[in-house]
Amino acid sequence: MTRGKPPEAAAPPPVQPVRRSFQRSHRGGAWKVAYADFVTAMMALFIVLWMMNSTEKVKQSISGYFRDPRGYTTRLGAGPAGAGEGLSFHGQTAGDLQKQIEQALRRMPDFKKIGGNVQFSVTGEGLRIEMLETEQGMFFISGSANPTDTGGHLLGVLGAELGKMPNQIVIEGHSDARPFRNAGGYSNWELSVDRSNAARRLLQESGVRIAQIVEVRGFADQRLFRPEDPNDPRNRRVSVVVKFQ
């Protein structure tokens, strides 16, 4: 019996390469928003920590911004008139200036009667001293640029004190929203400027040096002390700003 060769095994079919289709997944960008919020929160935390460890001068400048934010809206470091004054504190701080001036004014015999109408505030521009009017006219004769005896005395004491300081001074005149009734076109604009100039003359006569006064401003009713009540007599005021050096 002849043995034959075993039948050859059939060759396996060729292996076909496996082709996988990789589809690029499209992911959303929500994580970017969350990450941005996280970074913003961290920045806010670092700013708060920095403020807590800052000097008293820096804290006062920041406090001035929140007390009078309109003084900063025109330009960084600008005061109510956008004069571009800086925020640096050199020499005396705002607290030192206010204490020195208040002590001088409190020596006035009638200061208790008028003290409620003299207000201090710290802004980016400097220490602001507001002389707020009454309906009858406390510091200036009503409807006039002529100071009353009380106003003249106050400005005299203030001028003697400011004349001892190296700080520059800005003087502002303001009115309420009631129209000024006078012939010849005289309006609240003229009245506010005339009152600030009258205050300037009295300050200079009392000791303020000519070079100290760098601006005399008149705003009429454009910068109200009480914007919620445009006719409030306290909107009629003269402001003396002692600028930080």
Side-chain angles (χ1 to χ4, degrees):
M1 183 173 179
T2 304
R3 295 183 178 179
K5 293 182 179 180
E8 295 181 359
V15 178
Q16 297 295 328
V18 179
R19 296 181 181 179
R20 297 180 180 177
S21 176
F22 293 93
Q23 296 181 350
R24 185 175 297 176
S25 61
H26 298 279
R27 297 181 180 177
W31 67 273
K32 298 179 182 179
V33 178
Y35 179 73
D37 290 342
F38 171 75
V39 173
T40 303
M42 291 299 295
M43 289 180 62
L45 174 62
F46 292 146
I47 291 173
V48 171
L49 294 175
W50 169 77
M51 289 173 57
M52 291 175 63
N53 292 278
S54 297
T55 63
E56 189 64 29
K57 294 178 182 180
V58 174
K59 291 178 182 179
Q60 287 176 352
S61 65
I62 296 172
S63 174
Y65 170 82
F66 286 104
R67 291 186 182 183
D68 184 19
R70 290 191 303 174
Y72 291 74
T73 54
T74 304
R75 277 186 291 180
L76 179 63
E85 58 286 330
L87 298 178
S88 58
F89 287 72
H90 301 289
Q92 290 179 304
T93 65
D96 295 332
L97 286 172
Q98 181 172 341
K99 183 177 180 180
Q100 184 175 344
I101 295 171
E102 278 188 324
Q103 287 178 345
L105 296 181
R106 290 184 186 282
R107 291 194 288 267
M108 294 174 57
D110 55 347
F111 185 74
K112 290 184 179 180
K113 297 180 181 179
I114 66 175
N117 290 73
V118 180
Q119 293 195 9
F120 294 83
S121 63
V122 178
T123 71
E125 185 175 19
L127 178 65
R128 178 175 290 270
I129 308 166
E130 305 274 15
M131 300 169 57
L132 308 175
E133 288 291 350
T134 61
E135 189 65 47
Q136 294 74 27
M138 176 173 286
F139 302 110
F140 284 85
I141 297 173
S142 183
S144 170
N146 297 321
T148 62
D149 292 341
T150 300
H153 190 193
L154 177 65
L155 287 166
V157 173
L158 189 59
E161 199 63 32
L162 294 179
K164 304 174 186 176
M165 302 177 181
N167 305 68
Q168 294 179 330
I169 297 169
V170 175
I171 306 170
E172 298 176 354
H174 302 266
S175 71
D176 57 23
R178 284 178 279 193
F180 190 88
R181 297 176 182 176
N182 198 332
Y186 194 87
S187 68
N188 284 326
W189 285 106
E190 285 79 13
L191 180 62
S192 62
V193 173
D194 289 346
R195 284 188 172 181
S196 59
N197 260 318
R200 174 190 59 80
R201 289 190 291 268
L202 283 170
L203 290 175
Q204 289 179 343
E205 291 171 3
S206 304
V208 171
R209 301 178 301 282
I210 295 177
Q212 271 187 279
I213 299 178
V214 294
E215 284 187 82
V216 176
R217 307 167 178 166
F219 289 109
D221 61 345
Q222 298 305 299
R223 297 185 183 273
L224 298 172
F225 184 77
R226 296 197 65 210
E228 69 276 10
D229 186 1
N231 294 330
D232 191 307
R234 284 173 291 183
N235 292 316
R236 306 197 303 262
R237 67 198 190 279
V238 165
S239 306
V240 178
V241 183
V242 185
K243 299 186 69 171
F244 297 127
Q245 291 184 286

